[in-house]
C-alpha cells in the first residue's frame, strides 16, 4: 500500500495520538469526561465554528419566527416584514428576560413580558417611553435594539450562525461538504423542505460520541442487528447480500475542516429513485418516474449518485445529515461534558406525491426516529460508552485505527472519525 511507503511522522498530542507508520490512532478518554476540556471546547469550538441554526423552509412567510437554543444560547430565527432572514439573541436589552417565549409563530414584533419593552421584527427598539424617564435621543443609536448574532449565512437553504465576527465565510468553512449538501438540495426541481415539526431528546453522553456514531458504519451490523433481520424478512434475503456488498463498494471521504461523509449503497428503499419489492409495481413506477426526472434535469451520472447512494455526513462540530432511507437533519449541543440535547427533522421534496411522502416518513420513523430501530440502540451504546469512561484512569485510550493504512477506507473503517479528531485536536491542542 502506498501509504506504508510514506515517511509519516508520529503526531502526538495530549489527547490524540496518530502514527501512520505503526497504523495507530488513539484518543484519550479523558477528552470525553473532563469538565475542563468541555469548557475549552465551548471557547475554541462552539464560539468559533459555524453552527447550524435552521432551514429556510421553517420560516415560510414574512414575519414567521422560531426560537432555538444553539450551543447554550437562546436565539430568535425570523423573517422580518420585508422577508429578510435574521438571527437575534433572545434577550431583552433592559433586564435580560427572553423577549420571544413561544417555540414558533408569526409576529410583527416582540414584546418583553417583564417590563413591556417592544421591538420590531427587524430588531429595532419600538417602545414609546413617557416624557422625562430617559433622554430624548434614548435608543436612537441602536444601543437598545435586539442584539444580532455576529454572523448569519446560508448555503442552499441551510442557515448557519457564528459567534465569531472574524470567522471565515460559511462557504469556505463548509469546504467539500457543499457537494454533499448539493446532492440533497438537488433531489427535487421544486426545492427541499423540512417536514412538520422537530424531534427533541437528550443523551447522557459526551457530544463527540454522537458525532462519531453518526457516520460510523462499523457499528451498524452488530448494534442494529434487529433492524437488518427485519429488513431481511421484509424485503427478502437480498438485504444481507446488499449489506455485504456495501462493505466493498462504500467509501469514506474527507471533506476538509473536520467534515466527512460515508457513502455507499444499502439494502433499504429510497423514495428518491430506489425501490424495494414491498412497494409493489405502483412503487416501482413511481421510482422510475423519479429517476427519469433526475436524469433529465441533472444528467445520468449525478442522478445515479443521488438515487443509488446512501450518505451519512458530519459537519464539524455538530450537524449531521443522514441521506439514507430518508433524510434526517440532526443537530446537537452539549449541556455539559456528559449531556447532549438533540434536535432532529425530516426533510423531503417540496410537492412530493402523498404516497412517496408516506414511504419517506415511514422510513424516517422506522429507523431514524427516537423510537425507531436505530436511535434507541445508538443512545444505549453512547451512554454505555460514557459510563465506561469512568475507568479512564486505568483504561485511558479509545482505538480508532481501523483502516488507517488503506488508500481508500470504506464505511466500515474509521477514517471519517479520524477526520473529526484531527480538526478537534488542531483547535484544542495547537493554540
Amino acid at each position: 500500500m502506498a501509504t506504508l511507503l510514506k515517511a509519516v511522522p508520529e503526531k502526538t498530542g495530549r489527547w490524540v495520538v496518530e502514527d501512520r507508520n505503526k497504523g495507530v490512532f488513539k484518543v484519550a478518554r479523558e477528552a470525553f469526561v473532563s469538565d475542563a476540556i468541555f469548557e475549552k471546547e465551548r471557547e475554541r469550538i462552539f464560539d468559533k465554528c459555524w453552527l447550524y441554526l435552521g432551514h429556510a423552509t421553517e420560516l415560510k412567510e414574512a414575519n414567521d419566527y422560531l426560537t432555538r437554543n444553539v450551543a447554550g444560547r437562546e436565539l430568535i430565527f425570523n423573517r422580518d416584514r420585508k422577508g429578510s432572514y435574521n438571527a437575534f439573541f433572545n434577550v431583552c436589552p433592559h433586564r435580560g428576560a427572553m423577549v420571544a417565549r413561544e417555540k414558533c409563530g408569526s409576529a410583527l414584533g416582540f414584546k418583553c413580558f417583564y417590563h413591556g419593552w417592544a421591538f420590531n421584527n427587524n430588531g429595532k427598539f419600538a417602545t414609546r417611553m413617557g416624557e422625562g424617564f430617559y433622554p430624548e435621543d434614548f435608543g436612537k443609536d441602536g444601543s437598545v435594539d435586539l442584539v444580532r448574532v455576529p454572523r448569519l449565512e446560508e448555503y442552499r437553504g441551510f442557515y448557519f450562525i457564528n459567534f465569531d465576527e472574524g470567522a471565515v465565510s460559511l462557504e469556505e468553512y463548509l469546504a467539500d461538504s457543499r457537494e454533499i449538501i448539493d446532492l440533497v438540495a438537488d433531489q427535487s426541481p421544486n426545492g427541499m423542505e423540512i417536514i412538520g415539526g422537530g424531534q427533541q431528546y437528550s443523551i447522557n453522553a459526551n457530544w463527540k460520541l454522537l458525532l462519531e456514531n453518526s457516520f460510523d458504519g462499523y457499528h451498524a451490523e452488530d448494534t442494529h442487528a434487529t433492524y437488518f433481520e427485519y429488513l431481511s424478512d421484509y424485503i427478502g434475503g437480498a438485504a444481507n447480500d446488499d449489506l455485504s456488498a456495501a462493505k466493498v463498494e462504500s467509501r469514506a471521504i474527507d471533506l476538509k475542516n473536520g467534515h466527512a461523509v460515508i457513502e455507499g449503497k444499502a439494502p433499504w428503499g429510497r423514495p428518491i429513485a430506489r425501490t424495494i419489492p414491498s412497494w409493489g409495481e405502483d412503487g416501482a413506477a413511481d421510482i422510475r418516474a423519479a429517476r427519469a426526472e433526475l436524469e433529465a434535469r441533472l444528467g445520468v451520472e449525478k442522478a445515479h449518485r443521488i438515487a443509488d447512494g446512501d450518505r451519512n455526513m458530519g459537519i464539524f462540530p455538530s450537524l449531521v445529515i443522514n441521506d439514507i432511507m430518508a433524510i434526517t437533519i440532526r443537530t446537537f449541543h452539549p449541556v455539559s461534558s456528559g449531556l447532549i440535547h438533540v434536535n432532529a427533522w425530516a426533510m423531503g421534496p417540496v410537492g412530493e406525491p402523498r404516497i412517496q411522502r408516506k414511504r419517506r416518513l415511514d422510513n424516517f420513523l422506522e429507523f431514524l426516529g427516537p423510537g425507531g430501530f436505530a436511535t434507541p440502540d445508538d443512545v444505549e451504546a453512547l451512554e454505555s460508552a460514557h459510563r465506561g469512561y469512568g475507568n479512564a484512569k486505568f483504561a485511558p485510550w479509545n482505538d480508532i485505527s481501523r483502516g488507517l493504512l488503506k488508500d481508500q477506507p470504506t464505511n466500515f473503517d474509521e477514517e471519517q472519525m479520524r477526520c473529526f479528531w484531527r480538526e478537534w485536536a488542531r483547535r484544542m491542542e495547537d493554540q
Side-chain angles (χ1 to χ4, degrees):
M1 289 184 288
T3 305
L4 291 174
L5 301 178
K6 297 176 182 178
V8 181
E10 182 177 344
K11 299 178 181 179
T12 302
R14 180 178 177 185
W15 301 299
V16 177
V17 173
E18 178 176 11
D19 187 340
R20 284 180 176 266
N21 291 324
K22 296 180 179 178
V24 171
F25 195 109
K26 292 186 176 183
V27 175
R29 290 171 177 162
E30 179 189 4
F32 296 91
V33 297
S34 166
D35 290 335
I37 290 176
F38 174 67
E39 290 305 318
K40 188 177 290 188
E41 288 172 337
R42 281 184 178 274
E43 174 189 346
R44 296 190 177 183
I45 294 176
F46 288 94
D47 280 356
K48 299 292 185 181
C49 293
W50 286 94
L51 307 175
Y52 180 67
L53 176 61
H55 193 264
T57 59
E58 295 182 86
L59 304 173
K60 294 185 181 297
E61 306 289 343
N63 304 318
D64 284 353
Y65 76 92
L66 57 82
T67 58
R68 194 151 284 168
N69 185 295
V70 178
R73 294 183 169 99
E74 298 292 340
L75 307 178
I76 301 170
F77 180 37
N78 83 317
R79 296 179 69 180
D80 59 30
R81 301 180 193 205
K82 295 181 179 180
S84 299
Y85 288 82
N86 305 284
F88 301 106
F89 291 101
N90 191 1
V91 57
C92 182
H94 178 222
R95 297 281 291 282
M98 293 169 58
V99 298
R101 302 174 69 204
E102 302 295 329
K103 288 186 176 181
C104 60
S106 178
L108 292 171
F110 304 103
K111 185 176 182 179
C112 180
F113 82 103
Y114 195 9
H115 294 92
W117 280 33
F119 310 86
N120 293 327
N121 62 10
N122 63 3
K124 295 296 184 181
F125 180 67
T127 306
R128 294 184 178 181
M129 296 296 189
E131 188 175 342
F133 292 105
Y134 295 97
E136 289 185 7
D137 61 351
F138 181 73
K140 291 183 179 180
D141 61 355
S143 61
V144 289
D145 293 345
L146 293 181
V147 179
R148 291 182 179 272
V149 176
R151 300 283 293 277
L152 172 69
E153 294 182 21
E154 170 264 351
Y155 183 76
R156 300 299 302 270
F158 292 82
Y159 276 84
F160 292 75
I161 58 166
N162 199 309
F163 299 118
D164 179 11
E165 183 66 48
V168 300
S169 71
L170 175 63
E171 290 205 14
E172 182 178 349
Y173 180 82
L174 290 175
D176 293 348
S177 70
R178 291 175 293 168
E179 178 182 349
I180 308 303
I181 294 174
D182 290 343
L183 294 177
V184 173
D186 288 338
Q187 290 184 20
S188 167
N190 304 316
M192 303 294 284
E193 65 180 351
I194 296 297
I195 303 169
Q199 301 172 337
Q200 296 83 41
Y201 54 97
S202 298
I203 304 174
N204 291 309
N206 185 268
W207 67 274
K208 298 184 289 296
L209 277 166
L210 181 54
L211 197 286
E212 283 187 334
N213 178 80
S214 296
F215 51 17
D216 169 19
Y218 186 15
H219 80 281
E221 192 170 3
D222 291 302
T223 305
H224 305 310
T226 302
Y227 177 68
F228 288 105
E229 290 171 5
Y230 158 77
L231 272 186
S232 184
D233 293 339
Y234 186 52
I235 67 174
N240 293 326
D241 295 336
D242 287 347
L243 182 62
S244 297
K247 294 180 180 180
V248 177
E249 298 173 2
S250 66
R251 55 184 182 154
I253 308 170
D254 180 359
L255 302 174
K256 304 185 179 67
N257 295 338
H259 322 316
V261 67
I262 55 174
E263 184 174 33
K265 183 177 180 180
W268 43 70
R270 282 168 56 82
I272 185 65
R274 192 171 79 216
T275 192
I276 51 175
S278 60
W279 289 350
E281 181 51 39
D282 287 345
D286 292 337
I287 293 305
R288 286 194 295 271
R291 184 179 288 267
E293 190 282 324
L294 285 175
E295 292 179 353
R297 179 165 51 90
L298 302 173
V300 173
E301 182 177 349
K302 188 170 183 179
H304 171 78
R305 189 177 180 192
I306 287 175
D308 293 327
D310 294 85
R311 287 162 288 275
N312 290 335
M313 176 171 66
I315 294 180
F316 188 94
S318 58
L319 174 64
V320 175
I321 299 178
N322 302 115
D323 179 16
I324 44 180
M325 78 287 290
I327 301 173
T328 300
I329 310 301
R330 180 182 290 137
T331 189
F332 46 90
H333 300 288
V335 179
S336 67
S337 61
L339 178 62
I340 323 165
H341 285 174
V342 185
N343 291 276
W345 303 267
M347 173 173 273
V350 174
E352 185 174 37
R354 183 180 180 86
I355 184 61
Q356 285 287 77
R357 180 60 58 90
K358 181 180 186 303
R359 293 175 185 130
R360 177 181 301 279
L361 293 183
D362 285 348
N363 279 1
F364 171 71
L365 293 171
E366 181 180 272
F367 187 72
L368 296 163
F373 277 100
T375 302
D377 291 341
D378 289 332
V379 169
E380 172 60 24
L382 303 193
E383 292 186 345
S384 176
H386 196 83
R387 290 194 299 270
Y389 295 160
N391 297 316
K393 180 179 179 180
F394 305 99
W397 296 99
N398 277 1
D399 188 296
I400 51 173
S401 305
R402 182 180 168 95
L404 178 63
L405 301 182
K406 285 187 176 181
D407 288 328
Q408 180 53 68
T410 71
N411 291 7
F412 301 86
D413 296 310
E414 296 174 316
E415 179 61 24
Q416 59 277 14
M417 291 185 286
R418 292 188 287 270
C419 293
F420 166 82
W421 279 107
R422 291 179 188 119
E423 178 67 11
W424 182 92
R426 184 186 74 81
R427 291 178 175 272
M428 295 289 289
E429 296 185 320
D430 296 341
Q431 296 187 29

